[in-house]
Amino acid sequence: MNRKEYEALVETVRQHDVAYYVDAAPTLSDREYDTLYRQLVEFEEAHPDWVLADSPTCKVGGQALSHFEQVQHVVPMLSLDNTYSRNELRAFVERVVKGLGGQRPVFTVDPKVDGVAVSIRYEEGKLVHGVTRGDGSTGDNITENLRTLKQLPTVLKGAPAVLEVRGEVFMSHAGFQQMNRQREARGESLFANARNATAGTLKLLDSRQVAKRPLSIVLYGTGEVSAGQIESQTALRECFQSLQLPVSDWFREVNNENDLDEAISELDRLRQTLPYPTDGAVIKVNEFALREGLGFTSKAPRWAIAYKFEAEQVETRLKEVTLQVGRTGIVTPVAELEPVQVSGTTVSRATLHNFKEIARKDIREGDWVVIEKAGEIIPAVISVRTDSRTGKEKKILAPIQCPACEAKLVQENVFLRCLDPACSEQVRRALQHFAHRGAMDIDGLGQAMVDQLVDHDLVRRVDDLYELEVSAVQSLERMGEKSARNLINGIEVSKTRPLWKLIFGLGIPHVGSGLARQLEQSFPSLDGLAAASVEELEAIDDVGGIVATSIHDFFNANKHQELIEALRGHGLNFKSETFGKEEVPATGVITGKKFVITGTLSESRDVFKEKILQLGGKVSGSISKQTDYLLAGESAGSKLDKAEKLGVKILTEAEFEKLAQYER
Ligand code: IVH
């Protein structure tokens, strides 16, 4: 291949990428495409000095970064005012008309994509950088990560000299679920929802990892544009389309309020069929010249508003209630539902939290129930349609015995707990937790492997892992000698993990990964931690009475002392590498996040505070821009207003429980 042929091949593959990823209309079979692509890769490997920066192969990611540079937005990235009410929407239209001196403008309606906002700058048609919104005036330079998006061209033909395009990076429902299934199979932690997964992925410093995640992008606006040729939202969309930049499939221009109402209803009806998650409609004045006259408030334009859709609720029948035994022996009731579609996915199970909750909502087997799924994976049963009862519904009784080992259950607060340490379900969950990516990270020890080890009675306690032999593992289903050796090797390697991973892996109630890191910094060894008094533990930042007692009790129970001696015997690392050093805790859904609690909740605020702390979050008394979440109970007052003003995310108790359950 000569230089010209190479360039032609780059262009051909690029055109097929556009056909496949942007237009969703492939012009080649997958096989033909793969052949072309492989040709390109092989040629570039042989001629590394010829590789064009915008070759489609460059979408697999490059060198990892140590941090993200900060970039200032030339045109600030503002947010939008939003409303859930059609009356407020009408008031918005009236404000606009008044602002325009009585003129009724054309409005546009497009989907509000629930992703992560970014701004991408092209100069002379070349992608120069891509930046997160950040605080609106300065964001992170995530160019390398954005370059991996198949939908996003790195070169534009016939674009203005400077063109900044803005839009939302997202994960499709299908892509998100497939990724989570793969993560589950590998024993990695799951993302709570597609938005978190997108935000987490864009923060990765290694773009090769980003390239493996199913990210997409849709564009709806501009930042700086050198020539002022674009005059309206409609023209902007057409301009993007001609440049092969991805825009939403659905878009409407409306001339009056009737059409506006109808467009919004239509979008609400069909939004589940769109490839991206949407939580509303964005209504904008079409003509840019008119927008100028209207201007901005301090945080949002006066010419646009987001109309948010209510979280989708559907009714279905609760067939029966099954029981799930957790790692610490807590028995959770689960609703088995007649499968229904909610927010784009089929739901057949929902958590019922605990038996007090079932009694409070008077949920019965056979009931028609209302379920809701607001972005998060785990749907919740909101209420019961008592008016649909036939009299055949069955009351749900709390079990007396553990469904796995038949030990007598004990009531602890709202929970029922099995205290038998040999309970097979607990052993299973304890092993899964010990081995998973966030804890001891044992390669090859996913859920299916754990099941086999427990079912064949090869492991009854975590330390039994370290006595496993290749021959025994090899005799299990679907295991050859090679995979058996790999597993034993993975187990061996885990002996050298940092202390916090072991502390976390032990599964001490109330100790999440963030707190485990803090404990490692506070004690020189596992023995130091095990010997700590409740007072010493309480002296650690963020450790309250409940958590301190839980840690103390854990290490003072005979069964745990035996376990720890056995692990010591196998040579696991008990020594801290970070004792006395300051370390930034990892961030997760709750880990590292700042919470404020307000209003009346089902239990005292201290109980919620403990929960947040044990999951590695922080709790403060007052709301500021730094606050990540306001946990708001009934009759929340001024804090709620302030959180709304500052755009702090507000969680109801149920939403919080969903998040917390996820992180546990
Ligand atoms: S237009 C000046 N259009 O939602 C801001 N924004 O909650 C104009 N968003 O900040 C933004 N879909 O990040 C616009 N079709 C859409 C959108 C959209 C999602 C985001 C955007 C905005 C946020 C407000």
Side-chain angles (χ1 to χ4, degrees):
M1 217 178 324
N2 62 29
R3 176 108 210 159
K4 267 231 154 77
E5 285 163 340
Y6 165 66
E7 281 171 12
L9 181 58
V10 165
E11 188 53 33
T12 310
V13 174
R14 192 158 44 219
Q15 284 310 321
H16 289 306
D17 277 349
V18 169
Y20 187 93
Y21 293 105
V22 182
D23 304 336
T27 42
L28 284 182
S29 73
D30 286 2
R31 219 202 160 93
E32 288 166 314
Y33 175 84
D34 289 343
T35 311
L36 276 184
Y37 190 86
R38 209 166 323 116
Q39 231 180 337
L40 184 60
V41 171
E42 279 166 15
F43 182 80
E44 288 182 342
E45 274 169 6
H47 301 86
D49 45 328
W50 280 20
V51 178
L52 290 169
D54 55 0
S55 163
T57 59
C58 296
K59 301 226 172 255
V60 294
Q63 285 288 307
L65 307 172
S66 61
H67 65 284
F68 294 120
E69 305 279 331
Q70 295 296 297
V71 177
Q72 189 149 12
H73 299 295
V74 180
V75 179
M77 286 181 82
L78 298 177
S79 62
L80 286 172
D81 280 336
N82 65 50
T83 176
Y84 284 91
S85 124
R86 299 260 178 155
N87 278 338
E88 279 180 29
L89 185 59
R90 256 162 244 136
F92 159 78
V93 172
E94 288 320 312
R95 274 198 307 279
V96 168
V97 172
K98 197 166 160 218
L100 295 176
Q103 184 185 347
R104 294 206 159 258
V106 172
F107 285 97
T108 62
V109 185
D110 55 336
K112 184 167 184 320
V113 182
D114 193 12
V116 175
V118 295
S119 181
I120 297 150
R121 186 177 176 95
Y122 292 88
E123 286 176 8
E124 308 299 340
K126 286 223 157 61
L127 194 165
V128 291
H129 66 223
V131 186
T132 60
R133 182 215 305 271
D135 63 4
S137 56
T138 311
D140 288 339
N141 183 342
I142 53 162
T143 313
E144 294 315 311
N145 291 349
L146 292 175
R147 275 188 199 282
T148 67
L149 301 189
K150 297 276 196 188
Q151 295 76 6
L152 192 68
T154 43
V155 274
L156 301 177
K157 286 209 187 90
V162 174
L163 175 65
E164 265 179 27
V165 298
R166 291 183 173 175
E168 214 78 4
V169 179
F170 66 92
M171 259 181 218
S172 69
H173 291 299
F176 165 67
Q177 281 176 345
Q178 190 189 9
M179 181 186 76
N180 251 357
R181 274 198 299 273
Q182 287 166 351
R183 290 178 71 86
E184 190 166 24
R186 290 196 297 261
E188 297 172 5
S189 60
L190 301 188
F191 287 108
N193 57 51
R195 221 201 76 85
N196 286 0
T198 305
T201 302
L202 288 179
K203 281 196 201 126
L204 294 174
L205 291 164
D206 184 351
S207 57
R208 281 163 303 195
Q209 297 305 316
V210 179
K212 293 182 191 156
R213 304 265 182 96
L215 293 183
S216 284
I217 186 166
V218 61
L219 301 166
Y220 47 68
T222 52
E224 192 187 358
V225 185
S226 55
Q229 321 94 316
I230 309 173
E231 288 175 347
S232 67
Q233 189 71 27
T234 310
L236 176 143
R237 186 180 153 83
E238 282 161 7
C239 165
F240 282 10
Q241 279 172 322
S242 74
L243 293 170
Q244 300 184 316
L245 288 162
V247 294
S248 73
D249 306 325
W250 191 95
F251 176 82
R252 294 281 178 276
E253 239 182 52
V254 292
N255 295 310
N256 57 55
E257 284 184 57
N258 249 348
D259 291 356
L260 174 60
D261 262 345
E262 260 177 40
I264 291 173
S265 301
E266 182 189 323
L267 178 59
D268 195 9
R269 269 196 310 278
L270 58 70
R271 66 192 174 107
Q272 302 306 341
T273 63
L274 297 174
Y276 29 77
T278 49
D279 57 355
V282 183
I283 296 96
K284 304 170 187 170
V285 171
N286 191 28
E287 299 289 332
F288 289 1
L290 297 181
R291 289 183 185 181
E292 261 168 49
L294 291 161
F296 300 86
T297 65
S298 62
K299 70 172 221 341
R302 289 203 178 87
W303 43 261
I305 194 164
Y307 175 82
K308 302 261 279 230
F309 300 127
E310 296 294 343
E312 197 188 358
Q313 295 193 341
V314 296
E315 287 179 25
T316 187
R317 227 171 60 88
L318 191 162
K319 294 191 295 190
E320 59 165 341
V321 172
T322 53
L323 301 171
Q324 211 170 354
V325 185
R327 144 171 72 86
T328 55
I330 289 178
V331 177
T332 311
V334 177
E336 305 290 340
L337 307 165
E338 211 74 78
V340 271
Q341 284 281 117
V342 202
S343 309
T345 52
T346 306
V347 167
S348 54
R349 305 182 89 196
T351 173
L352 292 167
H353 301 294
N354 57 62
F355 285 90
K356 293 245 153 91
E357 183 77 3
I358 292 181
R360 194 173 68 77
K361 290 184 178 151
D362 187 22
I363 300 171
R364 302 181 192 179
E365 277 182 344
D367 262 339
W368 279 90
V369 290
V370 179
I371 64 168
E372 178 180 295
K373 192 154 160 276
E376 275 71 28
I377 298 178
I378 305 162
V381 173
I382 301 296
S383 59
V384 176
R385 294 293 309 264
T386 43
D387 51 343
S388 306
R389 280 196 176 146
T390 62
K392 288 201 180 130
E393 295 75 18
K394 273 190 9 213
K395 282 215 172 204
I396 298 161
L397 298 178
I400 297 167
Q401 288 182 324
C402 171
C405 72
E406 301 187 348
K408 192 167 177 291
L409 297 177
V410 199
Q411 186 83 43
E412 279 183 13
N413 299 322
V414 292
F415 299 113
L416 282 175
R417 186 173 227 155
C418 165
L419 295 179
D420 181 359
C423 167
S424 64
E425 269 310 300
Q426 284 183 59
V427 172
R428 219 180 284 271
R429 306 253 172 207
L431 274 177
Q432 274 171 15
H433 175 76
F434 185 79
H436 92 280
R437 183 80 178 263
M440 296 296 270
D441 194 6
I442 303 181
D443 240 10
L445 193 48
Q447 196 170 338
M449 193 64 222
V450 166
D451 283 347
Q452 287 216 62
L453 292 175
V454 175
D455 292 345
H456 289 82
D457 212 17
L458 289 174
V459 179
R460 290 185 184 179
R461 207 173 57 181
V462 164
D463 55 292
D464 292 343
L465 284 175
Y466 295 94
E467 281 177 20
L468 282 175
E469 284 175 6
V470 175
S471 55
V473 176
Q474 199 179 332
S475 66
L476 296 174
E477 251 174 72
R478 278 173 274 120
M479 285 300 274
E481 190 191 330
K482 187 155 175 248
S483 33
R485 278 196 195 286
N486 284 345
L487 174 63
I488 302 291
N489 193 27
I491 295 174
E492 188 62 28
V493 169
S494 73
K495 291 182 180 172
T496 58
R497 296 275 180 254
L499 179 58
W500 72 266
K501 289 204 153 218
L502 175 60
I503 298 174
F504 178 45
L506 286 173
I508 307 166
H510 301 299
V511 178
S513 59
L515 179 54
R517 284 172 195 262
Q518 246 183 320
L519 292 172
E520 164 163 6
Q521 284 166 53
S522 313
F523 296 95
S525 65
L526 189 65
D527 297 310
L529 172 62
S533 66
V534 171
E535 292 71 36
E536 281 170 306
L537 289 163
E538 269 189 290
I540 298 170
D541 255 4
D542 299 343
V543 175
I546 296 177
V547 179
T549 310
S550 164
I551 299 172
H552 183 261
D553 290 355
F554 181 91
F555 286 107
N556 281 283
N558 278 340
K559 59 178 181 186
H560 296 137
Q561 288 175 350
E562 281 169 23
L563 169 66
I564 284 162
E565 283 322 306
L567 293 174
R568 188 199 310 281
H570 289 298
L572 271 76
N573 171 39
F574 277 20
K575 274 178 74 180
S576 167
E577 291 159 15
T578 60
F579 174 55
K581 293 185 198 149
E582 211 31 62
E583 213 194 42
V584 190
T587 53
V589 185
I590 290 182
T591 319
K593 294 285 190 303
K594 293 202 178 66
F595 282 77
V596 172
I597 309 175
T598 189
T600 315
L601 298 154
S602 66
E603 290 171 281
S604 83
R605 285 188 205 164
D606 280 345
V607 171
F608 286 90
K609 182 172 173 187
E610 287 289 346
K611 281 192 193 175
I612 292 168
L613 295 181
Q614 56 119 329
L615 290 170
K618 299 221 154 81
V619 179
S620 88
S622 58
I623 304 247
S624 73
K625 271 203 202 142
Q626 270 74 44
T627 311
D628 293 297
Y629 293 109
L630 175 71
L631 168 55
E634 306 258 323
S635 23
S638 61
K639 283 189 185 155
L640 186 60
D641 296 340
K642 189 157 180 205
E644 275 171 352
K645 265 202 204 105
L646 291 176
V648 169
K649 178 139 174 73
I650 297 156
L651 294 176
T652 61
E653 185 175 332
E655 285 167 336
F656 169 77
E657 289 297 348
K658 273 192 263 177
L659 282 186
Q661 180 157 7
Y662 222 76
E663 192 123 329
R664 216 165 270 150

